[in-house]
Amino acid sequence: MNRLILISFLASILPAALGQFECTSDSDCLLAGYHCCKGTIYCCENGYICSGEGSCISYGVIIGPVVGFVVLAIGIGFFIWRRKCRNRNV
């Protein structure tokens, strides 16, 4: 528990110690290929979205479940349609 408190404390004072309180442009990011999460103190790698909670999310995490749901809905619809067609022919 003490380690968690120490890590949280250091994470909160480190940006202030480095003189960076808020990211305002991509040039504020120290590494090339990163973009600024405006209004925060962190940067995300290009191709990732700022989550707003101090982490970065890839586009696949957002798009994957949507595509999966659409494929599942189409599969269930096809299954229901196919079952109705069989019942008509009996």
Side-chain angles (χ1 to χ4, degrees), residues 7-57:
I7 291 171
S8 299
F9 176 72
L10 290 175
S12 66
I13 65 166
L14 185 61
L18 295 174
Q20 182 181 4
F21 293 100
E22 187 175 298
C23 181
T24 57
S25 69
D26 292 346
S27 63
D28 291 339
C29 300
L30 299 176
L31 300 173
Y34 282 73
H35 66 276
C36 172
C37 296
K38 295 186 179 13
T40 65
I41 58 171
Y42 69 99
C43 298
C44 285
E45 190 174 358
N46 291 342
Y48 286 79
I49 300 171
C50 305
S51 70
E53 296 179 4
S55 62
C56 305
I57 301 174

Side-chain angles (χ1 to χ4, degrees), residues 51-86:
S51 70
E53 296 179 4
S55 62
C56 305
I57 301 174
S58 71
Y59 290 111
V61 171
I62 297 169
I63 295 172
V66 172
V67 171
F69 178 76
V70 168
V71 169
L72 183 64
I74 290 172
I76 291 172
F78 178 76
F79 176 76
I80 292 170
W81 173 77
R82 183 80 174 130
R83 194 157 178 114
K84 285 183 179 182
C85 287
R86 282 188 188 170

